[in-house]
Amino acid sequence: MAKDIEGGPLRFRFSRRGVLVSCLLLLALFVIRPQARRLRGRISQSISQGLGKRVEIGAAHLRFLPRPGFELKNVVIHDDLEFGAEPLLRSPEVTAWLRVTPLLRGRLEISRLSLTDASLNLTRGPQGPWNIQDLLERTSRFAAAPRASKKSRPQFPYIEAVGTRINLKIESEKTHFALTNAEFALWQDSENTWGMRLRAQPIRTDANLTDTGKINVSGTWRRASSPAEAPLQFVFQWKQAQIGQISKLVYGTDLGWRGEWAVSGTIAGTPERLRVTADTTIDDFRRFDVFGGGNLRLLAHCGAEYRSAQQTLSDVDCNGPAGAGLLELKGSASGSRLSSYRISVLATKIPARNLLSVARHTRKNIPDDLNASGQFSATVSLHHDEGSQPPEFDLNGEIQNLQLASSETGSPLTVGTVPFSMAKVPKAHGRAAKSAPALEIGPANVAMNRPAPLQVRASLSRAGYQISMHGDSGIKRLLQAANMLHIPVPAVVADGSSTLELELVGDWSGVRPTRPTGTIQLRSASARVAGLNAPLQITSATLVLDQDYIHVQNLSASAAQATWHGSMQLSRPCSTPGACRTQFNLRAGEVSSAALNAFFNPKAGKQSWYNFFSPGANPVPYLLQARAEGKIAIDKLALGRAECTHFAGDLELAAGKLTLSHAKGEIWGGTATADLKADFLSRPPAYSGSGGLETVSLSKLAELMRDEWIAGSGAATYEFKSAGWTLQELIESADLNAGFAITDGDFPHVVLTSTAGAVRGSDFSGQILLRKGRFSLDEAKLASSDGVYRVSGTASLGGVLNLVIAGENTPVYNVTGTLTDPRVSKVAAAAAQASLKP
């Protein structure tokens, strides 16, 4: 018992030491990697036998745990010379695991190859086959595991790789396409079955791509008497791809489409005869510059059979739902690169609202409230034989019961049946140019509130579109249709009849604004412009539309109780008054200032005409926004009881600032000129101007006052400025400085003495001022047969006088009373001067 007790600690110490030694040994087996220079050749030979390719290894290290193997550096698997000088595969680090049973028998046999950061070149040779085909064909000669027979047979190693780049080559040249971040594996499932899987991201080496998605491929193939008859089955998936990046991957440029693309399917059969099925989905399909409109999802299911020996693709059948309708594609192809083909596409009863949804996601500026009803059906056939040019193309179809509606139209716009067909491409002869195919739509007869419908045609091609229309249309319906289709038109409410000859040409980019061009004949039209108190009545006019202007020719219109003739030019677009630049040349026979006041002032009966320009007079004052310039001529302009004939001038309205320049007319038997300015943006509105009168008849001026208080011939020059909201404010703030001259003047109501007659003067001239509502004269000179008089004093706007007339060596006279009933009295000079002081 004592020995056992004494020996216990010893045995315990030995056991603990044994465990420690065992742990250190295991750790050493994990960590230590002794070089295996002598075995490097045998390793290369073993891998070469398994792959059938020449293999080079830069360095080899033994590895004991977790199972025996080697760590290989700079492994290169060479390719056949027909595929170029570059190797099939290159990897800086490879782990080669050994099969234990052959190792115990003294043979090196690789069971697994694990590659890191490898580079794999998939090359298509000059005769067509790929370099990977030889490797796959070689697998048909390997067994899955040793049989009961003692004779050993080589076994295919399990190959796996991470962080791999797969390059695609055509003979000795690399293409722009590659797979990166690839993970793949190749193995033998059983004696007659092999498997593989691949996960990678496609890239283009000459472009910076980010959202090309992930490709997943997995499948199996079985042993057969020949590689072409080997049964195979693969499953593939490509998801999380952005179609703009996919288009850049395929074509080298972004075609401008957006959406998330996913495709999945199967490939089954034999390399000689493959059956392919695929399901494709695009979510949120749209153009890059189109936003809104909801999520548009496109779906398609496809199937086809490919025969490699005959190079034929047959039984192609794709279909996708479109609302309650169906879109189908059927056909076949053959020849090198499938250059000979026969394809037909059938669209059956696709709702027009689905077509509108596609248009809304592929074209900007389609109104959100635009709705469409009807059914679309079409048949497309495409035929091409190898060596012939160009392909034969046929398209025929129609949209039945088409109606368009929006909040702008009120009642729907009925189009009815719209036929369409594709124009065939003529074959070129010699150097004759080839014309691009175009989709011809119409003619369609559109009801536009006239006895006869408006006829519309359209031609669509890859370059753009061309739409033409001719016939009669109601103007109101025409404006509604333009607003519904988002075509810019002036902001007016109009009705009447018109005859159209219009064309709309544009491209699909949407960069250049699309505007209709052509002519519009207006007849018996009425247009209400925001801010004007009465509608414009257009008897007739011709509108010539080009890309930048609307030219109004042969205009005959009624406004402000007058008939106007002339021409106008409006800049395009002209959706608001501020966006327009209007030029005009107008003439009227007879115009009344009172009628102009009523036309421009919506509250003419309650306020002065100039209040129309006031920001407080209208929520959106038209004349505060409009921009126009041109010439105006009026044969007879009625100014109250006065008449100005042959009036003409240059008028400019620029966002609330009105300028009348070089104005000239005949009034009171003489000539009047004026340059006037009005600023309706200032608060209160400000006015200024200058002008003159020449050889006017003062007796005609007196007739307006119904009293012959003056006669003779007069002339004047003046300058003035004023500001105010009302007439009273304008008068009180007026500052007028005028110089006048009266020849052969006669003042029948002014008699200085009882023995003398009425005052007459061969010349009466001076300066007259108007300030604070009162006229004032200072030292005006009146030359008469009795001598020269100096006239000073004041006169109110109501005609109340307070004048002093003084001559040389004559008494001083004070004239009071009114213009029509003056009173003359003799006063002392000192008293007269005192009465004239303010």
Side-chain angles (χ1 to χ4, degrees), residues 8 14 45 141 237 268 280 304 306 372 419 472 485 530 536 538 549 577 664 768 776 779 781 791 794 816 819 834:
F14 177 79
Q45 183 179 6
R141 299 193 293 271
Q237 186 181 59
T280 302
Y306 179 72
D472 294 341
L485 299 176
L536 293 171
I538 302 174
Y549 296 98
K664 188 175 183 180
I768 185 170
S776 61
E779 297 295 328
K781 292 183 179 181
V791 182
T794 62
T816 59
L819 284 175

Side-chain angles (χ1 to χ4, degrees), residues 387-429:
S388 65
Q389 291 290 339
E392 294 183 8
F393 187 91
D394 289 309
L395 183 151
N396 290 281
E398 65 179 15
I399 303 177
Q400 298 177 336
N401 304 319
L402 178 61
Q403 285 190 335
L404 301 175
S406 74
S407 59
E408 298 288 343
T409 60
S411 59
L413 190 66
T414 302
V415 182
T417 299
V418 182
F420 54 86
S421 62
M422 179 68 81
K424 293 184 178 180
V425 180
K427 293 186 178 181
H429 296 283

Side-chain angles (χ1 to χ4, degrees), residues 48-386:
S48 297
Q49 290 178 350
L51 301 179
K53 303 287 183 181
R54 185 166 65 90
V55 178
E56 289 184 5
I57 299 175
H61 298 268
L62 288 171
R63 182 168 184 164
F64 300 101
L65 292 177
R67 61 180 185 270
F70 298 97
E71 286 188 357
L72 311 178
K73 302 295 184 181
N74 300 322
V75 176
V76 178
I77 302 177
H78 290 277
D79 210 343
D80 297 337
L81 293 179
E82 64 176 304
F83 297 107
E86 281 197 272
L88 171 66
L89 183 142
R90 186 190 303 273
S91 178
E93 295 183 7
V94 177
T95 302
W97 304 106
L98 299 176
R99 288 190 172 93
V100 177
T101 301
L103 183 63
L104 295 176
R105 295 174 180 172
R107 293 198 321 272
L108 290 178
E109 191 170 320
I110 305 299
S111 66
R112 191 183 193 100
L113 290 174
S114 298
L115 293 77
T116 303
D117 298 329
S119 176
L120 174 65
N121 291 319
L122 296 182
T123 308
R124 183 178 181 181
Q127 304 301 323
W130 291 79
N131 60 352
I132 197 69
Q133 289 181 230
D134 178 63
L135 179 63
L136 298 179
E137 291 173 6
R138 184 176 175 79
T139 60
S140 63
R141 299 193 293 271
F142 288 98
R147 295 288 188 179
S149 158
K150 294 182 179 180
K151 183 180 180 180
S152 76
R153 287 176 290 179
Q155 298 184 51
F156 190 80
Y158 185 99
I159 302 174
E160 61 181 357
V162 295
T164 302
R165 179 187 178 96
I166 302 176
N167 303 304
L168 302 179
K169 295 176 55 183
I170 303 297
E171 298 183 20
S172 60
E173 294 185 6
K174 286 186 178 179
T175 68
H176 297 301
F177 306 102
L179 299 175
T180 188
N181 298 324
E183 300 177 10
F184 72 86
L186 183 65
W187 68 91
Q188 191 171 12
D189 260 343
S190 63
E191 182 175 355
N192 296 313
T193 305
W194 288 263
M196 64 84 64
R197 66 172 178 268
L198 168 68
R199 177 181 298 171
Q201 179 183 359
I203 63 169
R204 188 180 176 100
T205 57
D206 59 347
N208 183 19
L209 303 177
T210 56
D211 296 328
T212 55
K214 301 292 184 181
I215 293 178
N216 291 279
V217 181
S218 62
T220 60
W221 67 96
R222 296 176 59 81
R223 187 193 309 273
S225 58
S226 68
E229 297 175 355
L232 57 85
Q233 184 168 0
F234 282 85
V235 178
F236 62 88
Q237 186 181 59
W238 191 350
K239 60 182 181 179
Q240 297 176 349
Q242 202 273 334
I243 58 175
Q245 296 282 281
I246 296 299
S247 66
K248 193 171 183 179
L249 173 70
V250 176
Y251 299 105
T253 182
D254 189 341
L255 299 182
W257 302 108
R258 297 293 180 267
E260 184 174 322
W261 183 60
V263 60
S264 61
T266 62
I267 301 175
T270 65
E272 185 179 29
R273 186 174 183 175
L274 293 174
R275 183 67 188 175
V276 182
T277 61
D279 291 280
T280 302
T281 304
I282 300 179
D283 281 311
D284 196 20
F285 176 74
R286 60 181 177 83
R287 267 190 64 83
F288 74 98
D289 53 354
V290 176
F291 302 95
N295 180 18
L296 177 60
R297 192 179 199 201
L298 305 180
L299 304 173
H301 172 78
C302 294
E305 183 175 283
Y306 179 72
R307 296 191 177 187
S308 59
Q310 294 83 4
Q311 291 186 317
T312 60
L313 186 68
S314 59
D315 297 331
V316 177
D317 187 0
C318 293
N319 60 77
L326 183 65
L327 187 64
E328 298 176 280
L329 182 148
K330 298 179 182 295
S332 61
S334 61
S336 60
R337 299 185 181 181
L338 304 177
S339 56
S340 296
Y341 50 81
R342 284 173 171 80
I343 299 173
S344 63
V345 179
L346 181 65
T348 306
K349 295 182 179 180
I350 297 178
R353 65 176 178 272
N354 289 77
L355 297 180
L356 180 61
S357 179
V358 173
R360 185 171 282 125
H361 286 78
T362 58
R363 178 77 176 164
K364 293 192 299 182
N365 302 326
I366 296 180
D368 293 335
D369 63 345
L370 179 63
N371 296 309
S373 62
Q375 290 184 335
F376 170 87
S377 297
T379 301
V380 181
S381 63
L382 185 62
H383 170 70
H384 182 253
D385 291 326
E386 188 172 5

Side-chain angles (χ1 to χ4, degrees), residues 750-756 759 789-792 802-807 809-816 823-829 832 835-836:
V750 180
V751 180
L752 298 181
T753 64
S754 58
T755 58
V759 173
Y789 295 92
R790 296 189 304 275
V791 182
S792 302
N802 186 10
L803 300 176
V804 172
I805 301 176
N809 303 319
T810 61
V812 177
Y813 300 96
N814 186 205
V815 181
T816 59
R823 294 190 295 272
V824 181
S825 59
K826 188 185 299 184
V827 297
S835 66
L836 293 176

